[in-house]
Amino acid sequence: MQDCVRAGGYGSAWFDHRDDAKQLTCIEARGPTYRGVLRGGAKSLFRFHPNHDGEVARLAVRLAPSNALSLATVERGRGDKLHVATAGGMGPGNIDSLCRALTDLAGIKGAPVIATDADPPGDRHAAQLRSLIGKHLITVEPILPPGGLNDWNDVLKSGRRAR
């Protein structure tokens, strides 16, 4: 899977964060007893592009890498969408990387940014993103998980597909 996820210790998954030059900047670990960024790194964005190096016309911004991967799976790997995650919050490294990605998309007519979970943290994250996106004159297309579910992990577990 593009070498962006690895099995870590104690049942955790390790998600890499890479800069625009695809250089590793940090490792985000998520497991049953730990969630955080390993020491010595600088958060940027977890990135997953189903089409690897193909053209990106859409950007899906999630809070957690697992949600980014779940949305990619539910959508059956739509090849023109870059899935990114911010490791929960929006720090300087996330914002810088995200602004560069948005600048790249600004030239594509109608390239929406998708960033919504159906819960209060998702609403806060979407509000932060809208404030960033406004500077880039890009429209926002919020996609909520179907059927009253809270996030895309729940959608994947339920076997539903995106509309």
Side-chain angles (χ1 to χ4, degrees):
M1 188 187 303
Q2 299 176 343
D3 200 28
C4 61
V5 181
R6 303 234 174 162
Y10 305 100
S12 66
W14 289 14
F15 301 94
D16 67 10
H17 282 231
R18 295 187 179 267
D19 62 18
D20 298 333
K22 299 182 181 177
Q23 296 299 309
L24 183 66
T25 61
C26 80
I27 302 290
E28 178 181 354
R30 289 185 172 248
T33 59
Y34 178 78
R35 181 183 305 175
V37 175
L38 301 183
R39 287 186 194 167
K43 286 191 336 183
S44 55
L45 294 173
F46 167 80
R47 300 164 194 253
F48 175 73
H49 189 212
N51 198 19
H52 301 287
D53 292 321
E55 186 171 316
V56 173
R58 294 165 56 92
L59 180 68
V61 184
R62 314 302 308 151
L63 282 165
S66 59
N67 251 322
L69 294 173
S70 291
L71 179 58
T73 302
V74 168
E75 291 186 332
R76 299 180 185 180
R78 184 182 164 152
D80 68 342
K81 188 182 288 180
L82 174 63
H83 296 268
V84 301
T86 62
M90 293 291 285
N94 301 117
I95 292 170
D96 289 346
S97 291
L98 194 53
C99 283
R100 281 191 292 281
L102 291 169
T103 299
D104 291 344
L105 284 177
I108 299 172
K109 185 177 180 180
V113 175
I114 301 161
T116 309
D117 277 352
D119 57 17
D123 293 342
R124 285 190 299 275
H125 197 238
Q128 287 178 308
L129 291 167
R130 280 191 181 88
S131 70
L132 287 173
I133 292 162
K135 300 172 190 172
H136 298 277
L137 303 175
I138 295 176
T139 59
V140 177
E141 177 189 329
I143 294 180
L144 293 171
L149 298 172
N150 282 341
D151 65 38
W152 294 98
N153 292 332
D154 295 338
V155 175
L156 184 60
K157 290 176 193 172
S158 74
R160 297 181 189 182
R161 292 283 174 203
R163 295 179 203 164

